[in-house]
Amino acid sequence: MRLSQLSPGQSGIILALSKNLNIQRRLLDLGFVQGTRIKCLFRSPLGDPTAYLIRGTVIALRREDASKILITPKKASPSHQEQYS
């Protein structure tokens, strides 16, 4: 699944970044590494960009960039809810 496919409130685990992503190095520096949990917080009124919570930081990504990040979706459990509050 692609990160851009997450709906607000859903979360997932990062699997990989596309090799030809222009901002790949910057995303890696920000914590977009394999195994990291990420949560879709909200989309802008026009649908682009989207805000994501990753490692305690909110980062906005354009749909074009988010579509090049592969994730596995995760269901939020009650014990994980505190992490995103």
Side-chain angles (χ1 to χ4, degrees):
M1 171 178 201
R2 309 259 178 213
L3 180 59
S4 59
Q5 296 173 302
L6 277 184
S7 297
Q10 291 182 317
S11 62
I13 303 292
I14 295 175
L15 295 176
L17 301 179
S18 175
K19 297 292 183 205
N20 60 358
L21 185 59
N22 292 337
I23 61 171
Q24 180 180 17
R25 185 74 217 153
R26 179 72 175 135
L27 290 176
L28 289 170
D29 290 343
L30 291 170
F32 285 76
V33 294
Q34 184 178 3
T36 301
R37 181 178 289 273
I38 188 165
K39 181 177 183 181
C40 180
L41 295 179
F42 54 87
R43 287 197 170 87
S44 70
L46 297 177
D48 202 25
T50 300
Y52 300 96
L53 180 65
I54 182 165
R55 297 183 180 242
T57 302
V58 177
I59 305 221
L61 290 178
R62 294 176 291 177
R63 182 175 297 159
E64 177 184 343
D65 295 328
S67 69
K68 296 177 181 170
I69 300 170
L70 297 176
I71 64 159
T72 183
K74 293 288 180 187
K75 291 187 177 183
S77 64
S79 63
H80 288 103
Q81 290 296 331
E82 298 92 36
Q83 286 182 316
Y84 302 119
S85 299

